[in-house]
Amino acid sequence: MKYEDDPRFCGYYFEDSYVLSVHVGVSQVVFELLVVWTEKHPDYHPPSPGEQYCYGRSHLWFKNASEIEYAPSGRAPSWDANDHWDYGNIDSFVIDPPHGYTLDGEWGRLKLNALNAFVKDIGL
């Protein structure tokens, strides 16, 4: 199942978002993102001058997680125009119902099961 078909992720476009950090714990994983907010997002606004998309800061949470397989790419981050470390994009985000998730990108690969998965917006 593609994440776009899941109502929890409506309003987000991950492929052109930027991974600022990945935090892996015993039973949770959190991605800090500069994420694309689509027109379906309640805080959407036209893109800033020089930007292709409307971006916002968000956390992508996987809680009550198990079978966490995280393989960081080992690639050094780049320093982006907004003074953030940037580990690249989430190139693929696949949901294997009911609780499986697989994400891939320049930052690495994550495969896990999680009882709770959601996005929490933290601002612009």
Side-chain angles (χ1 to χ4, degrees):
M1 170 182 196
K2 294 182 180 181
Y3 76 87
E4 300 98 318
D5 299 327
D6 189 311
R8 295 173 295 175
F9 307 114
C10 181
Y12 301 96
Y13 177 59
F14 292 105
E15 287 85 345
D16 282 324
S17 299
Y18 297 97
V19 175
L20 305 180
S21 65
V22 181
H23 304 277
V24 179
V26 174
S27 64
Q28 69 180 6
V29 176
V30 182
F31 284 81
E32 182 181 359
L33 303 169
L34 189 59
V35 67
V36 174
W37 288 347
T38 71
E39 291 180 1
K40 294 179 182 178
H41 191 280
D43 294 324
Y44 173 82
H45 54 81
S48 299
E51 297 282 350
Q52 181 178 1
Y53 299 108
C54 167
Y55 290 95
R57 303 261 320 230
S58 299
H59 288 155
L60 172 59
W61 284 84
F62 297 94
K63 288 190 169 186
N64 301 316
S66 62
E67 301 177 42
I68 300 170
E69 298 174 23
Y70 175 52
S73 67
R75 238 181 102 176
S78 53
W79 191 253
D80 72 15
N82 295 315
D83 291 333
H84 299 117
W85 288 114
D86 170 4
Y87 289 89
N89 309 103
I90 294 176
D91 297 326
S92 173
F93 181 179
V94 178
I95 301 170
D96 184 19
H99 304 294
Y101 302 89
T102 304
L103 296 90
D104 288 288
E106 298 167 21
W107 48 271
R109 176 180 173 86
L110 174 71
K111 185 173 182 172
L112 75 163
N113 289 316
L115 296 179
N116 303 93
F118 59 91
V119 177
K120 181 176 181 182
D121 297 327
I122 56 175
L124 297 175

